[in-house]
Amino acid sequence: MTALRCIAAPISFLALERFALGELESSRRTLVEQHLEACAACRAALASINDDARALPPLVLESAPAVAPSKVVENTQQTNVRSIDSAKRGSKNSVARWAGSAGAVIALAAGVFLFVRAGSKGDGMDRPSYGEKGGSVVLSIVDEGGLETSTFEDHQRVQLLLTCPQRLDNMTWNVSVIEDGVVSHPVPVRTGVACGNRLPFGTLALSGGEPIEICVSASGNGSTEEDMKASGEDAGEWRSCLELRPKP
Amino acid sequence: MQIYERYGPALLRKAQRVLRSRSEAEDIVQHLFLELLETKNMNVDLPYLYRSVTNRCLSRIRDEKNRARLLAEDGGASFESRRADESVTMTQDLLVKLVAELEEDEGQVLVLYFFDEMSLEEIAEMLGVHRKTVAKRVDSIRTRALSMAGGAS
Ligand SMILES: [Zn+2]
């Protein structure tokens, strides 16, 4: 492809996109039109926008909002909401960076507790079975066809479903993903959840070849894990973890 | 979702311009909109979303796994600038190396100026800083880019 050069300062792709969408105010629009008339390079850039016929990938929407809007501070979102892809890291540096952002999440989302299972593989702890159990928190993971899964392919998208008993209404819920001992929080913290069966809780794109542990946990009404223990409650009932393995 | 249909294609093109990968671009844009849905934040315009996608692209490039992929698969591929007087040829290799060295706000300027081809004024408005600040950042990025490109070959 021969590179076309602009006759002056190029019309930015943002301005061209807005031009194509009819969003530019009239004076700016006129300037863009005049430039385009004279400039083949910017006409070609606009044509690449108008000729882009690729389909928009479907957005895996969560149906009925059984869950109240989350109150994620903008800053929290910047630091804690990442895809699993970007959470997959190897070096010590990046692990430290992630530990740092996990800390920020805890500080901002008051009452959310975090747990890291050292080396998420085969540590001998009991894991909840798939499906629903009365009276406790159960996390289910389904593929795009809605079928429960415990394995994933590279770049596969899965949906998280939360089942929780009514006594845990209005808690704050947090999803943690643990991979190689590194915790990330790819789904915004949820508050004011009305509990029920298999509530849509978020969608994740999974990648890489290592097992991933996904945990959902509740906290709220000012109580901490310590408070729960003090009141005789089993903190384990407030959370559920599942391990997903890459498809061989 | 209306804003997804309206702005999704523009954001996919933007992310792909920077990352050179359609699947990475789709992943970034889908995550962005799912988060907007979850926070019920629908009152957003294209400049806001552009900035959001910029930050997400930078995170991807900083991620080691992607860094390796970008370098291995498409390292020499260059972005065709429309600026007649631009001395920097922005290749994937150069982008990855620059992003690793730059501060977050410089990284934003790098993407907005060299890939989105925004003017200094447009960038200043988007980032809420003075035009002069943007000009300085562009100069500093260009100096580094030229010395990196010179040193590498
Ligand atoms: Zn032009």
Side-chain angles (χ1 to χ4, degrees):
Chain A
M1 209 205 313
T2 15
L4 285 170
R5 301 292 180 157
C6 180
I7 53 162
I11 308 294
S12 70
F13 281 101
L14 174 59
L16 289 172
E17 294 282 4
R18 302 194 80 191
F19 178 81
L21 287 166
E23 283 192 354
L24 290 183
E25 46 144 335
S26 63
S27 59
R28 184 82 204 280
R29 184 172 183 87
T30 308
L31 287 176
V32 170
E33 278 166 349
Q34 285 168 353
H35 183 106
L36 286 171
E37 222 162 275
C39 179
C42 292
R43 273 202 306 275
L46 179 64
S48 74
I49 291 171
N50 288 331
D51 298 346
D52 184 9
R54 289 171 301 185
L56 201 55
L59 201 57
V60 186
L61 286 178
E62 289 148 26
S63 49
V67 180
S70 89
K71 282 192 279 182
V72 179
V73 188
E74 179 61 23
N75 186 28
T76 320
Q77 221 180 335
Q78 295 291 330
T79 53
N80 85 346
V81 178
R82 311 230 181 179
S83 74
I84 312 268
D85 302 45
S86 59
K88 240 192 101 54
R89 290 163 188 278
S91 87
K92 287 191 172 114
N93 275 348
S94 51
V95 169
R97 193 137 38 103
W98 273 93
S101 66
V105 172
I106 297 177
L108 281 161
V112 174
F113 58 83
L114 182 85
F115 41 91
V116 180
R117 291 182 177 173
S120 63
K121 296 151 227 165
D123 54 15
M125 290 181 76
D126 288 336
R127 294 181 196 289
S129 58
Y130 297 93
E132 284 144 50
K133 285 196 296 195
S136 61
V137 176
V138 177
L139 173 66
S140 312
I141 294 169
V142 296
D143 61 21
E144 275 164 312
L147 296 174
E148 239 152 82
T149 181
S150 59
T151 59
F152 66 96
E153 283 175 83
D154 209 18
H155 288 98
Q156 187 180 341
R157 227 161 268 281
V158 295
Q159 194 181 21
L160 309 181
L161 300 174
L162 171 72
T163 297
C164 57
Q166 273 176 11
R167 68 189 169 84
L168 295 183
D169 271 356
N170 295 313
M171 303 292 274
T172 298
W173 292 89
N174 184 35
V175 173
S176 315
V177 174
I178 305 159
E179 193 180 10
D180 272 349
V182 180
V183 183
S184 61
H185 302 267
V187 176
V189 169
R190 286 272 177 79
T191 56
V193 173
C195 274
N197 281 330
R198 297 169 77 83
L199 308 169
F201 210 78
T203 308
L204 299 175
L206 303 175
S207 72
E210 294 299 312
I212 293 172
E213 184 166 36
I214 302 176
C215 292
V216 60
S217 62
S219 64
N221 308 327
S223 43
T224 63
E225 194 165 7
E226 280 68 40
D227 295 336
M228 283 185 267
K229 279 179 189 146
S231 69
E233 271 199 88
D234 177 5
E237 287 183 16
W238 289 32
R239 70 182 180 222
S240 173
C241 297
L242 283 179
E243 190 175 66
L244 289 184
R245 297 189 166 276
K247 274 197 184 123
Chain B
M1 183 163 68
Q2 267 181 348
I3 59 166
Y4 179 62
E5 276 144 33
R6 185 165 179 82
Y7 296 134
L11 298 171
L12 281 174
R13 286 188 283 270
K14 174 193 162 64
Q16 193 174 354
R17 197 155 55 233
V18 179
L19 298 172
R20 290 190 164 261
S21 155
R22 177 72 177 180
S23 63
E24 295 271 347
E26 287 184 354
D27 204 45
I28 281 182
V29 172
Q30 285 178 313
H31 273 85
L32 170 62
F33 278 96
L34 287 171
E35 283 165 31
L36 289 173
L37 267 179
E38 286 181 356
T39 55
K40 300 273 193 287
N41 182 11
M42 295 297 141
N43 190 18
V44 291
D45 59 9
L46 190 57
Y48 171 92
L49 296 168
Y50 242 59
R51 193 176 169 182
S52 242
V53 168
T54 300
N55 291 335
R56 284 156 198 257
C57 288
L58 289 168
S59 301
R60 285 291 163 111
I61 296 167
R62 290 200 177 92
D63 175 67
E64 280 175 36
K65 193 184 67 171
N66 277 297
R67 195 152 65 213
R69 181 191 61 75
L70 285 166
L71 287 172
E73 285 180 15
D74 223 359
S78 64
F79 175 79
E80 307 265 14
S81 173
R82 278 177 288 156
R83 289 193 179 97
D85 55 352
E86 183 52 68
S87 46
V88 173
T89 303
M90 197 53 78
T91 62
Q92 284 300 102
D93 276 344
L94 191 52
L95 168 68
V96 170
K97 280 183 203 156
L98 279 168
V99 168
E101 276 198 10
L102 296 175
E103 301 291 327
E104 186 79 32
D105 46 6
E106 293 175 309
Q108 292 174 353
V109 171
L110 166 65
V111 171
L112 298 174
Y113 186 85
F114 287 95
F115 288 87
D116 296 331
E117 304 198 291
M118 285 167 67
S119 66
L120 300 178
E121 290 79 9
E122 281 178 294
I123 298 172
E125 193 190 331
M126 180 177 280
L127 301 182
V129 296
H130 281 285
R131 183 190 176 282
K132 273 186 184 171
T133 311
V134 179
K136 269 190 217 161
R137 284 181 194 160
V138 168
D139 281 345
S140 134
I141 293 165
R142 185 178 288 119
T143 306
R144 286 207 226 188
L146 290 173
S147 86
M148 275 179 185
S153 60

